[in-house]
Amino acid sequence: MDKNKKIIIGCVIGVIVVLIAIFLCLNSCSNAKTYTVTFIDSIDNKEISSVSVKENEKVEKPAEPKKVGYTFDNWYLNDEIYDFDTKVTKDMTIEARFISSSEDKIELKETTLGLIVDEDKQIEIASFPEGVSRSQLIWISSDEEIVAVDENGNLKAIREGSCTITIKTKDGKYSSTLNVTVTKNKVSVESVSITGSREVMVGKTIKLTANVKPDDATDKEVTWKSSNTSIATVDRYGNVKGIKAGTVTITVTTTDGGKTATYNVTVKASSNTGGNTQGSTGESKPKPEEPKVVPVTGVTITGKVTDIKVGESHKLSAQVSPGDATNKKVKWSSSNPSVATVAQSGNLVGVDDGDTVITVTTEDGSKTDSYTVHVSSVYEIHLKKIQLVEGSEAQYSKTVYKNNKIFTGYQYFSMGNKRVSPSENVMASFTQNETITETTIRIDSKSYPAKIVYE
């Protein structure tokens, strides 16, 4: 066989080998498993979109859907917020859940609660949206190691700290939050005051609020009383209903310490009673002078804190202008409740790493003020000396905590001039100086401050 024929045969064989390799690669790729991830609207139960994802790959987070009358809450899988960093290993249906932006809502008897370690208490609902009952609610604690909550809304205080209880309907349409602070010892009530409107029309209802101090008082339970129930009644939640024209004194009393506050409320007759507006002489009675209404011109958030830790709480206040404005009611909101929540009392609580915008809006004029809050996690490295045989080098076992929960998802932390990975023990050669109490921990190529605790 001459040289040219050998070259031609070699080239042909090479091409055949390449074609076979390409075929095998394409066949292998075609056999790779794919799964369907479907996104649906939980209100209408309609499909928003559907995508195919290869096994062990991540599904891309879609844009937040818009819905008239609702605010987008989050994406959920089996009643848990879906983590889009999770690898797909099966077909899934992920729900877009919403919170109603109407006045129809789950109203709690109290939005803040103080408990003592080992204390039990059931969350009380003041009012439900139409067609909703307690059996349709789900209850979620932001930290089960501080306060646990069961399927009936029963709380159990585990240890000191603060957390947020989220109460939602199963369809995600309605939602409310309760901020809970757990203390080792009881914090006694020092005082109480009442805020709310001082006027109500016959047949109408207004809501009064009891402000118990200090903010972290353990027992904020109060009772309400009307001085004349033929003029106005008041229920256990501070709802005052006008019965007939007149003035009544509403009294609130704290269960802890018996602290009291009083509040005068005037009940006005309806203007469309149809009665005779003339006196005995036939002359028209002069109309009473309308009360002067001072409109709101602005609002400012006071007591701002721009950096808080997960689980930490901070009280914000709203300064409404002018000082003599008639209606000083405001509404608080967080652009990202999964990072930080803010109660209608202005109590801010850190939930998870990230940034969120806190906004206060006046009821009169919709004046607003807002600012950004950064929430960061708390990292602790607990070192415990291991007792070894005499003469050998001492060792320390280590446990890393993130927000009081065991954490292993880090690259390393620094001790002296050494980096310690999750798989290493801490040796005496760089832990003998127990004055080291601060270090850094490396996570996803970023460094975060960490505290060292010697047990």
Side-chain angles (χ1 to χ4, degrees):
M1 185 180 296
D2 60 34
K3 186 177 180 180
N4 289 336
K5 286 184 179 180
K6 289 182 179 179
I7 292 173
I8 292 171
I9 292 172
C11 291
V12 171
I13 293 172
V15 170
I16 292 172
V17 170
V18 170
L19 291 174
I20 292 172
I22 292 173
F23 173 79
L24 292 174
C25 180
L26 291 174
N27 186 58
S28 174
C29 292
S30 64
N31 289 331
K33 288 185 179 180
T34 60
Y35 297 102
T36 300
V37 179
T38 304
F39 297 93
I40 67 169
D41 179 332
S42 64
I43 302 296
D44 300 327
N45 202 30
K46 292 182 179 180
E47 181 177 317
I48 299 172
S49 63
S50 180
V51 295
S52 294
V53 183
K54 290 182 180 179
E55 186 175 27
N56 291 323
E57 291 190 357
K58 301 172 184 177
V59 61
E60 185 176 349
K61 186 177 184 179
E64 294 183 1
K66 306 295 183 182
K67 197 170 186 66
V68 177
Y70 297 89
T71 301
F72 176 72
D73 177 18
N74 220 318
W75 296 102
Y76 283 79
L77 176 65
N78 300 327
D79 291 330
E80 297 285 343
I81 295 176
Y82 183 71
D83 182 357
F84 282 89
D85 285 330
T86 304
K87 293 180 179 179
V88 175
T89 58
K90 61 182 178 180
D91 293 332
M92 296 186 297
T93 298
I94 299 176
E95 295 182 340
R97 293 192 177 177
F98 302 84
I99 298 172
S100 173
S101 54
S102 69
E103 290 300 317
D104 201 11
K105 60 185 179 180
I106 301 170
E107 185 175 349
L108 305 181
K109 181 182 177 184
E110 48 197 344
T111 56
T112 60
L113 181 65
L115 298 175
I116 303 173
V117 174
D118 292 330
E119 184 179 358
D120 299 315
K121 187 175 180 64
Q122 186 179 59
I123 297 175
E124 295 188 59
I125 309 294
S127 64
F128 292 93
E130 185 176 353
V132 175
S133 64
R134 195 178 185 93
S135 63
Q136 294 172 279
L137 302 179
I138 56 176
W139 317 77
I140 305 167
S141 172
S142 64
D143 194 334
E144 290 278 349
E145 294 185 2
I146 295 176
V147 179
V149 60
D150 67 15
E151 66 277 8
N152 298 312
N154 296 308
L155 303 177
K156 175 69 174 181
I158 308 299
R159 62 174 178 80
E160 291 180 277
S162 297
C163 70
T164 301
I165 307 298
T166 302
I167 301 96
K168 295 184 178 183
T169 51
K170 292 178 180 178
D171 61 7
K173 186 176 180 181
Y174 301 102
S175 172
S176 190
T177 57
L178 172 66
N179 295 317
V180 184
T181 300
V182 180
T183 56
K184 188 174 183 181
N185 299 307
K186 178 181 176 181
V187 178
S188 299
V189 171
E190 296 174 0
S191 65
V192 64
S193 61
I194 301 173
T195 55
S197 175
R198 289 189 178 273
E199 294 182 354
V200 62
M201 301 299 291
V202 171
K204 300 295 183 179
T205 301
I206 59 171
K207 177 73 162 53
L208 299 182
T209 301
N211 306 297
V212 179
K213 296 295 181 180
D215 292 334
D216 60 346
T218 303
D219 184 0
K220 291 190 174 183
E221 191 80 20
V222 297
T223 56
W224 295 88
K225 184 179 179 181
S226 168
S227 64
N228 191 336
T229 55
S230 66
I231 295 176
T233 60
V234 60
D235 66 15
R236 61 186 297 194
Y237 305 115
N239 297 306
V240 178
K241 182 176 182 180
I243 306 299
K244 70 176 183 180
T247 299
V248 67
T249 299
I250 303 298
T251 301
V252 67
T253 305
T254 63
T255 301
D256 176 23
K259 308 295 183 181
T260 64
T262 58
Y263 204 72
N264 290 334
V265 174
T266 299
V267 181
K268 292 189 171 183
S270 176
S271 59
N272 58 353
T273 56
N276 186 4
T277 59
Q278 293 185 335
S280 58
T281 61
E283 297 178 356
S284 297
K285 293 182 178 180
K287 293 183 178 179
E289 185 179 346
E290 292 290 332
K292 181 182 178 182
V293 176
V294 180
V296 171
T297 59
V299 64
T300 303
I301 298 175
T302 59
K304 292 179 182 177
V305 57
T306 55
D307 292 277
I308 63 173
K309 301 294 185 182
V310 171
E312 183 181 351
S313 62
H314 184 80
K315 183 66 183 294
L316 301 175
S317 299
Q319 183 175 336
V320 178
S321 300
D324 59 346
T326 303
N327 182 359
K328 291 188 176 183
K329 292 182 180 179
V330 298
K331 182 178 181 180
W332 294 89
S333 64
S334 168
S335 66
N336 195 345
S338 63
V339 171
T341 61
V342 61
Q344 293 314 305
S345 62
N347 193 48
L348 175 70
V349 178
V351 177
D352 201 357
D353 289 288
D355 295 306
T356 186
V357 177
I358 303 299
T359 301
V360 65
T361 306
T362 63
E363 185 176 280
D364 175 22
S366 297
K367 307 296 182 182
T368 64
D369 187 26
S370 60
Y371 81 105
T372 301
V373 174
H374 177 72
V375 181
S376 55
S377 291
V378 178
Y379 297 96
E380 286 190 353
I381 300 164
H382 288 232
L383 302 181
K384 186 176 183 180
K385 186 176 288 186
I386 301 173
Q387 186 66 40
L388 299 177
V389 297
E390 186 176 354
S392 63
E393 186 177 26
Q395 287 184 321
Y396 286 77
S397 64
K398 68 180 187 311
T399 307
V400 178
Y401 293 89
K402 176 183 179 181
N403 302 327
N404 297 312
K405 293 183 179 180
I406 292 177
F407 178 65
T408 58
Y410 62 96
Q411 294 162 272
Y412 61 83
F413 64 83
S414 300
M415 283 293 293
N417 59 359
K418 183 174 176 61
R419 295 176 176 180
V420 183
S421 69
S423 61
E424 292 179 275
N425 280 324
V426 184
M427 307 298 294
S429 59
F430 54 87
T431 61
Q432 56 190 353
N433 182 3
E434 296 194 359
T435 60
I436 299 176
T437 57
E438 302 292 336
T439 187
T440 58
I441 189 167
R442 193 78 168 172
I443 304 168
D444 296 331
S445 300
K446 293 183 180 180
S447 294
Y448 299 89
K451 181 180 179 182
I452 300 175
V453 179
Y454 294 91
E455 297 181 347

